[in-house]
């Protein structure tokens, strides 16, 4: 696990965008795994800027979003399909046929989850997976206790996540209780994973994820087992890490070929 600590969320987002760009330049049909939430907003702004100013193209890229609420469609303002449209897809040249997000209004959620897994497989698997992290350590919507072997399926949100995500819905009573989410097993098959986290509110969970024991109670701790996981965090999110000086040292002394 590589831990990259940068000054603020802008620097972290620009760094993450450079990782995406280096993949897309080498492999224009990169399969990207994409998150939602407040954390990736600046990262998406950076990708848009690179598309507009630096000629970065998403024309052949294939995207899979991590999750979606059950029971709301792409026209619902708080759906993740709408989030992606508003914050990224409408500004770049991605081919709509290559964009995948579970359909919150599908008739058969189990079938939808199964065919999502199959689509990922037939795209050749995810190359580069971006993640945020929930305050309780969830990745995508894999709440604490989720199996490390889980695949795309339906989950019931915890009360904490309902609370955390309620602003987008104008109150906890409007947040759907069920979601479809890629599983931890599905996420771990990505060739590279980049997790972003900012601010003091994420400091404790980042400490547990990076330096705590591997446990399903902190789903993100499984990233300790991934061969190529990069955690990109600002100083505040890093504030509870015991070995932060060492991570900084490693980053500052990384060999030239690892620099972006
Ligand atoms: C949601 C998403 C996660 C995201 C998390 C953190 O529950 N399903 O993918 O990482 O929230 O959100 P934020 O970035 O707003 O803190």
């Amino acid at each position: 696990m590589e831990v990259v600590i940068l000054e603020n969320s802008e620097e972290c987002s620009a760094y993450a965008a450079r990782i995406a760009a280096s993949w897309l330049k080498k492999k224009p049909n990169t399969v990207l795994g994409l998150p939602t939430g407040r954390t990736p907003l600046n990262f998406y702004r950076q990708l848009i800027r690179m598309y507009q100013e630096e000629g970065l193209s998403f024309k052949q890229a294939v995207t899979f979003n991590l999750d979606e609420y059950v029971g709301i469609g792409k026209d619902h303002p708080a759906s993740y399909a709408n989030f992606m449209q508003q914050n990224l897809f409408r500004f770049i040249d991605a081919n709509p046929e290559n964009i995948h997000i579970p359909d919150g209004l599908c008739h058969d959620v189990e079938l939808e989850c199964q065919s999502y897994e199959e689509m990922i497989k037939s795209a050749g698997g995810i190359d580069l997976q971006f993640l945020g992290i929930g305050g309780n350590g969830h990745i995508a919507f894999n709440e604490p206790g989720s199996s490390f072997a889980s695949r795309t399926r339906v989950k019931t949100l915890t009360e904490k996540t309902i609370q955390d995500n309620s602003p987008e819905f104008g109150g906890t009573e409007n947040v759907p209780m069920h979601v479809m989410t890629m599983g931890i097993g599905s996420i771990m098959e990505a060739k590279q994973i980049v997790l972003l986290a900012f601010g003091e509110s994420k400091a404790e969970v980042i400490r547990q994820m990076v330096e705590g024991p591997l446990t399903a109670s902190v789903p993100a701790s499984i990233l300790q087992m991934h061969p190529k996981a990069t955690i990109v965090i600002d100083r505040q999110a890093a504030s509870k890490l015991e070995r932060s000086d060492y991570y900084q040292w490693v980053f500052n002394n990384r060999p030239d070929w690892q620099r972006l």
Side-chain angles (χ1 to χ4, degrees):
M1 186 183 256
E2 181 191 21
V3 181
V4 177
I5 303 168
L6 299 171
E7 226 27 69
N8 51 42
S9 71
E10 283 75 25
E11 277 186 26
C12 293
S13 305
Y15 186 80
R18 288 205 296 280
I19 297 177
S22 82
W23 262 95
L24 285 161
K25 277 174 201 156
K26 279 187 220 136
K27 183 178 184 255
N29 62 347
T30 296
V31 182
L32 295 168
L34 299 177
T36 48
R38 288 167 284 267
T39 304
L41 285 171
N42 266 329
F43 163 63
Y44 290 146
R45 277 184 211 119
Q46 283 294 331
L47 291 182
I48 296 165
R49 188 195 59 74
M50 287 174 150
Y51 164 70
Q52 291 171 342
E53 295 172 13
E54 296 174 12
L56 180 67
S57 174
F58 297 84
K59 228 176 208 135
Q60 296 180 54
V62 179
T63 70
F64 285 91
N65 262 79
L66 286 166
D67 44 16
E68 181 59 285
Y69 295 98
V70 171
I72 63 173
K74 60 180 183 340
D75 298 328
H76 190 291
S79 72
Y80 285 161
N82 183 59
F83 174 97
M84 291 307 297
Q85 196 54 35
Q86 298 308 323
N87 292 297
L88 181 66
F89 294 139
R90 70 189 171 117
F91 297 108
I92 61 172
D93 62 347
N95 177 353
E97 282 178 14
N98 293 342
I99 293 172
H100 305 88
I101 304 177
D103 177 5
L105 292 180
C106 63
H107 291 300
D108 184 336
V109 283
E110 265 184 64
L111 191 68
E112 178 73 7
C113 293
Q114 238 175 49
S115 68
Y116 206 65
E117 285 279 327
E118 277 154 26
M119 284 191 290
I120 294 174
K121 209 188 240 168
S122 57
I126 292 179
D127 291 313
L128 177 59
Q129 176 70 59
F130 289 93
L131 294 174
I133 183 169
N136 61 5
H138 73 229
I139 45 176
F141 269 135
N142 294 287
E143 296 283 31
S146 292
S147 162
F148 283 162
S150 52
R151 313 301 307 188
T152 304
R153 70 210 181 294
V154 177
K155 286 290 286 183
T156 306
L157 296 180
T158 59
E159 284 183 280
K160 165 143 181 52
T161 301
I162 291 180
Q163 185 75 47
D164 287 353
N165 293 4
S166 61
E168 286 76 21
F169 288 88
T172 50
E173 64 284 8
N174 302 323
V175 183
M177 201 170 275
H178 298 112
V179 292
M180 283 175 277
T181 179
M182 271 168 63
I184 298 181
S186 334
I187 292 169
M188 285 293 283
E189 281 172 13
K191 296 180 187 77
Q192 183 175 1
I193 295 181
V194 176
L195 182 144
L196 290 164
F198 313 131
E200 224 177 313
S201 66
K202 298 281 170 81
E204 176 54 24
V205 81
I206 288 296
R207 186 193 66 73
Q208 292 174 13
M209 172 186 77
V210 176
E211 295 178 343
L214 197 71
T215 168
S217 299
V218 182
S221 65
I222 191 64
L223 298 183
Q224 294 176 24
M225 295 291 286
H226 194 278
K228 202 168 165 46
T230 306
I231 313 304
V232 186
I233 51 182
D234 66 2
R235 292 215 172 276
Q236 289 169 316
S239 60
K240 294 197 173 164
L241 289 173
E242 250 176 53
R243 291 190 293 268
S244 62
D245 288 349
Y246 176 63
Y247 308 136
Q248 199 75 63
W249 165 264
V250 171
F251 184 70
N252 292 341
N253 292 295
R254 66 199 186 285
D256 279 350
W257 57 269
Q258 273 184 354
R259 290 172 194 261
L260 290 169

